[in-house]
Amino acid sequence: MTTALIYDPIFLEHITPPNHPDQPERLQMAMNVLQALNWLEREGLVLLAPRAASEDELAAVHESGYIRQVEEAARRVAEEHTGSGRKTRRFATDTYVSAKSYEAAIKAAGAPLTAIDAIMKGEVDNAYCLVRPPGHHAVAEAAMGFCLFNNVAVAARYAIDHYGLERVMIIDFDVHHGNGTQEMFYDDPRVLYFSTHQAPFYPGTGLADERGEGEGEGTTINVPLLAATGYETFEPVFRQVMAPAADRFDPQLMLVSAGFDAHWNDPLGGLNLSTAGFAQLMNVIIEEARFLCNGRLVLVQEGGYSLDAMSACVATCINLLLGDDAAVDSLGPAPHMPYRINTDVLIAELRRLHHLTGYRMRNAPKPDIARLRREVKGPDA
């Protein structure tokens, strides 16, 4: 396997206030772990610098006036920094810009485009985009949730517009629902959006009955989960809901909004996944991508605010993309919870809601009819 790691030091120059969760150290720590493992020189790993997304590429999902607002806000901070030493300023409720934020943001949006180009040209099999600012909360006309441009949405539209793909799937396992991504493709049958997220939680969207509208009805699948939900629920959700939905949709490319704030050690989230749990979920995704779209798979960094957990999850995902099956984990298993969700009821309701009841995946093993008949009738029948 050949995996592209797409990263640029410009992502560290998107500055937020000292107490803000999205700090440059998130990416720096991940790169430090990869360096300590000597994986930046690993066979099969290709380091690529992201290109900047063009204004037209951003405007495929964002309003042009909003793009100008982000650029102008960064320019004003640069002028203020020269005059008064101010490094960052509030741009939206919880989202900040600094002098280099626009440059970082257009390269964060351009990173998955760089990945898609390399995959479609046959230069790599898959890719990990280690970027910030994150993107899945950004809506067409506004920033929110630490996000300026919706990186994964820009990528999905690029794949459709530039390469003529007809079916792109986005899997989002960030602890927060990707409201911006859902909104941008809510009526678009070419994009299947699948999200697991904590609920009730920020931003308050992502109810199970939000299924899309118009021609896009049925191409939004939300799995809201209670706090403390762990792998014992995530695994059957991925196996019994995500996988058959993907199989039915038959994507030509799979994109992942890779947020690791569903980790039990994350300071913002309340879900209960371990690094090993994330690894198993990623194995399901990689398996589906291999079967459905020749392994065309791009991970795009979203949340994750425990430095230890996020860096371990990044390294683990890159290891899995390269074809290994080991997790990089110093934090260990998730804490034991004294209660658990009735997963059977949850799965049954999700499969009913999304018309997956009785759906048989194409890659499921076919039953041995002769053997079944012998078992029913008995060996002497």
Side-chain angles (χ1 to χ4, degrees), residues 16-49:
T16 55
N19 60 345
H20 195 276
D22 179 25
Q23 293 295 319
E25 288 78 9
R26 296 174 58 236
L27 268 57
Q28 186 63 67
M29 180 74 163
M31 290 298 290
N32 289 347
V33 168
L34 293 172
Q35 184 66 65
L37 292 167
N38 201 32
W39 284 1
L40 297 179
E41 294 79 33
R42 182 172 171 177
E43 182 178 357
L45 188 68
V46 179
L47 302 181
L48 295 179

Side-chain angles (χ1 to χ4, degrees), residues 112 115-117 119-121 154-169 185 188-192 249-255 292-298:
I116 290 169
D117 287 341
I119 289 171
M120 298 302 290
K121 292 175 183 176
V154 172
R157 280 299 303 268
Y158 178 76
I160 291 167
D161 295 343
H162 189 77
Y163 287 102
L165 300 190
E166 298 175 343
R167 296 177 306 281
V168 176
M169 182 174 185
F185 300 112
D188 192 335
R190 300 170 298 178
V191 178
L192 174 62
F249 185 69
D250 195 20
Q252 297 158 300
L253 171 71
M254 295 176 73
L255 305 172
L292 296 172
C293 51
N294 298 315
R296 293 172 176 169
L297 177 63
V298 179

Side-chain angles (χ1 to χ4, degrees), residues 3 14 32 56 59 62 67 70 103 139 151 153 165 199 205 228 233 242 248 271 290 306 337 341 355 375:
T3 297
H14 168 59
N32 289 347
D56 286 344
H62 287 289
I67 298 169
V70 178
E103 185 178 349
V139 295
N151 308 320
L165 300 190
T205 53
T233 298
M242 185 280 287
R248 182 176 62 188
L271 295 178
R290 186 178 297 121
S306 161
M337 292 294 151
I341 292 174
H355 308 295
E375 290 176 354

Side-chain angles (χ1 to χ4, degrees), residues 36 67 70 78-79 85 94 102 111 113 128 157 161 207 218 275 279 289-290 358 362:
I67 298 169
V70 178
E79 293 176 351
D94 47 14
Y102 181 75
L113 312 188
Y128 195 105
R157 280 299 303 268
D161 295 343
L207 299 178
T275 306
R290 186 178 297 121
R362 287 165 292 167

Side-chain angles (χ1 to χ4, degrees), residues 66 94-95 133-138 142-150 302:
Y66 169 67
D94 47 14
T95 308
H136 71 157
H137 293 307
M144 64 180 293
F146 315 162
C147 304
L148 292 175
F149 299 130
N150 197 312
E302 297 286 359

